Amino acid sequence: MAALRSATGGGNWFSALALGVTLLKCLLIPTYHSTDFEVHRNWLAITHSLPISQWYYEATSEWTLDYPPFFAWFEFALSHVAKYFDQEMLNVRNLNYSSSRTVLFQRFSVIFTDVLFVYAVHECCKCIDGKKAGKELTEKPKFILSVLLLWNFGLLIVDHIHFQYNGFLFGLMLLSIARLFQKRHMEGAFLFAVLLHFKHIYLYVAPAYGIYLLRSYCFTANKPDGSIRWNSFSFVRLISLGLIVFLVSALSLGPFLALNQLPQVFSRLFPFKRGLCHAYWAPNFWALYNALDKVLSVIGLALKLLDPSKIPKASMTSGLVQQFQHTVLPSVTPLATLICTLIAILPSIFCLWFKPQGPRAFLRCLILCALSSFMFGWHVHEKAILLAVLPMSLLSVGKAGDASIFLILTTAGHYSLFPLLFTAPEKKNLFLIGWKLSTSLAWGLWKSSANSCSLSPPGS
């Protein structure tokens, strides 16, 4: 902290934060890695060794390619660097290959691509009006926001221990949010369209983007009471947005459309046979539903209301990643989860349409869409909570009420990720890092939000 205080005199505290977390990521290289490490190694091999026509058909490994085409091309680009580290990692049949050079390459590839995330955080800080902030560095809203994002505990666990590439993907999302705050709507729409073709989980927040851009960009004026002025609709702007979506989609899916492989690609992207819940249950509504089904089945057996021979040996409550039937409660279908999710997001969507309050309202809607999808979506991963935690960081430095909600959300969300740290060194050391980081920021966050800094478009 003393180093940061000295750095702030020259305005270099952001660089110090970014460099500090990068060094921490390097220290995490020797930590354990999950099966996702093999997933991405296999994708490197598939995209490097096979023609594009086989990418979404290859099934030598159980970890088949199931991300959108832009991510496949991302792996393709990485593979041409990977070959200089260890050519064997690019052999499709080398299952579970993890030489020391392979580990170094994969770890450093995540760290390197996080440069985009660092830039996006820097741009988000420009949207913070900290004129009323305290003199202390730890009270400055931009400093607190930078720490909350750059040093996000969940992102460190998921990307730099467990192993994934969420950093640069969240960088694209945060950068698109920053562009909307800066009233650069076309850039924001383009970045989000690109993001969707990197990882389709961001469809969770697509309704917020669609409604906001339609309401605040395609309609150019409001009535004095804030309601919509229908005659202000701009077909030119709507067509411009449509062209962005079309061109990005054509670039991504065009080659597979030409190969007549779109059905195969979509079957990989949306594998509904994987079941209602992930093997490690996300703490959402369906986890409670599964638990209730288990309790009822135990009670039913004890009271001899159920026939043991008719109860499946492997049920949904076993945690296996497959399709199973519930024992007592009605089994849940993908359509049912979609309906529940849509019902949950409708209030926030209606508010964004009928009571537009600028980019800040869009950000609230985005967070509510992410949380609704997390609570009611099909086969939700526990890591999806970061889709709400990271954007919520922007709101937390604005108002004390938002800070209170953020502290609850981030504590519960990050706590739910702790089972990913299942080896002793990571459990002990990372818990201490996360606890100290959270408690040291809490006081500054409260003081900063109490000073009523605002999150608003530049110049507004």
Side-chain angles (χ1 to χ4, degrees):
M1 187 59 70
L4 282 172
R5 286 196 180 97
S6 62
T8 191
N12 295 322
W13 57 263
F14 185 87
S15 299
L17 284 175
L19 178 61
V21 75
T22 302
L23 293 176
L24 175 60
K25 293 170 184 177
C26 291
L27 292 175
L28 295 176
I29 288 176
T31 56
Y32 96 93
H33 52 79
S34 70
T35 53
D36 281 329
F37 182 89
E38 169 61 14
V39 169
H40 289 282
R41 186 217 60 81
N42 183 55
W43 294 358
L44 285 172
I46 289 173
T47 55
H48 185 83
S49 306
L50 301 176
I52 185 175
S53 60
Q54 296 181 33
W55 285 3
Y56 286 93
Y57 282 94
E58 166 57 36
T60 301
S61 168
E62 61 182 312
W63 313 116
T64 54
L65 179 59
D66 59 5
Y67 274 23
F70 278 177
F71 201 95
W73 288 111
F74 168 74
E75 295 279 7
F76 175 79
L78 286 181
S79 72
H80 285 278
V81 181
K83 65 183 179 183
Y84 295 108
F85 283 75
D86 188 345
Q87 185 71 31
E88 289 303 309
M89 80 172 82
L90 302 177
N91 186 336
V92 175
R93 301 193 178 277
N94 273 355
L95 302 182
N96 299 310
Y97 185 81
S98 58
S99 67
S100 58
R101 291 187 178 184
T102 301
V103 171
L104 282 175
F105 170 76
Q106 298 248 94
R107 291 292 195 191
F108 277 121
S109 67
V110 179
I111 295 171
F112 177 77
T113 54
D114 277 355
V115 170
L116 178 58
F117 183 73
V118 173
Y119 174 69
V121 173
H122 186 268
E123 290 298 299
C124 286
C125 287
K126 293 180 180 179
C127 301
I128 300 295
D129 180 9
K131 295 179 180 179
K132 297 181 181 180
K135 295 181 180 180
E136 289 292 326
L137 178 63
T138 54
E139 297 179 23
K140 294 182 180 296
K142 293 184 179 181
F143 171 79
I144 295 173
L145 178 61
S146 298
V147 176
L148 290 175
L149 292 174
L150 293 176
W151 288 74
N152 181 269
F153 184 52
L155 205 52
L156 288 173
I157 292 176
V158 173
D159 275 15
H160 302 281
I161 298 178
H162 188 75
F163 193 86
Q164 280 191 356
Y165 288 93
N166 293 291
F168 88 92
L169 296 173
F170 277 115
L172 281 171
M173 187 181 77
L174 291 177
L175 190 57
S176 72
I177 292 173
R179 293 298 181 246
L180 294 184
F181 270 86
Q182 296 162 0
K183 298 183 179 180
R184 295 157 67 174
H185 298 88
M186 294 292 286
E187 290 182 46
F190 171 76
L191 289 168
F192 184 69
V194 169
L195 177 61
L196 286 179
H197 288 274
F198 268 103
K199 192 170 183 179
H200 50 305
I201 192 176
Y202 293 94
L203 283 170
Y204 286 175
V205 298
Y209 274 90
I211 294 298
Y212 177 72
L213 289 170
L214 180 63
R215 182 68 175 81
S216 300
Y217 181 66
C218 294
F219 287 93
T220 59
N222 294 324
K223 294 179 180 179
D225 61 356
S227 60
I228 192 169
R229 190 183 295 276
W230 293 97
N231 60 3
S232 68
F233 181 74
S234 172
F235 281 101
V236 174
R237 292 190 174 190
L238 179 64
I239 293 172
S240 299
L241 290 175
L243 279 176
I244 287 177
V245 174
F246 173 78
L247 292 175
V248 171
S249 299
L251 183 61
S252 171
L253 301 174
F256 301 96
L257 177 63
L259 293 168
N260 198 28
Q261 292 184 358
L262 277 188
Q264 174 64 19
V265 172
F266 288 130
S267 70
R268 286 284 183 86
L269 298 184
F270 303 99
F272 292 116
K273 291 184 179 180
R274 286 188 176 180
L276 177 63
C277 292
H278 189 249
Y280 166 42
W281 294 356
N284 62 7
F285 177 81
W286 303 122
L288 297 176
Y289 189 86
N290 291 344
L292 178 60
D293 182 72
K294 185 68 174 180
V295 170
L296 292 176
S297 65
V298 171
I299 294 175
L301 288 172
L303 298 178
K304 298 183 179 180
L305 298 175
L306 297 175
D307 184 356
S309 64
K310 294 183 179 180
I311 295 179
K313 294 181 179 180
S315 66
M316 181 60 71
T317 53
S318 68
L320 296 173
V321 190
Q322 295 178 30
Q323 246 184 342
F324 293 104
Q325 300 296 312
H326 286 86
T327 304
V328 179
L329 298 175
S331 294
V332 181
T333 64
L335 179 60
T337 62
L338 176 62
I339 293 173
C340 290
T341 302
L342 291 176
I343 291 174
I345 69 173
L346 279 178
S348 59
I349 293 295
F350 281 141
C351 286
L352 188 60
W353 178 264
F354 292 107
K355 297 181 180 179
Q357 298 174 356
R360 190 180 182 88
F362 155 73
L363 188 55
R364 290 186 184 279
C365 183
L366 182 149
I367 295 166
L368 290 171
C369 286
L371 286 173
S372 298
S373 299
F374 180 82
M375 291 302 295
F376 299 106
W378 177 267
H379 197 73
V380 175
H381 289 230
E382 71 288 340
K383 300 176 283 290
I385 192 62
L386 296 178
L387 195 55
V389 170
L390 291 173
M392 187 67 194
S393 302
L394 278 72
L395 290 180
S396 69
V397 296
K399 293 182 179 180
D402 291 330
S404 300
I405 296 172
F406 173 76
L407 288 175
I408 296 172
L409 176 64
T410 191
T411 301
H414 289 164
Y415 181 78
S416 70
L417 297 175
F418 266 77
L420 297 178
L421 304 176
F422 57 84
T423 58
E426 288 82 14
K427 280 183 180 178
K428 180 179 178 181
N429 297 328
L430 267 295
F431 176 81
L432 291 174
I433 291 174
W435 180 78
K436 290 181 179 180
L437 183 60
S438 299
T439 53
S440 63
L441 284 174
W443 178 244
L445 179 60
W446 274 90
K447 292 188 71 175
S448 171
S449 58
N451 284 328
S452 299
C453 63
S454 62
L455 181 66
S456 56
S460 62

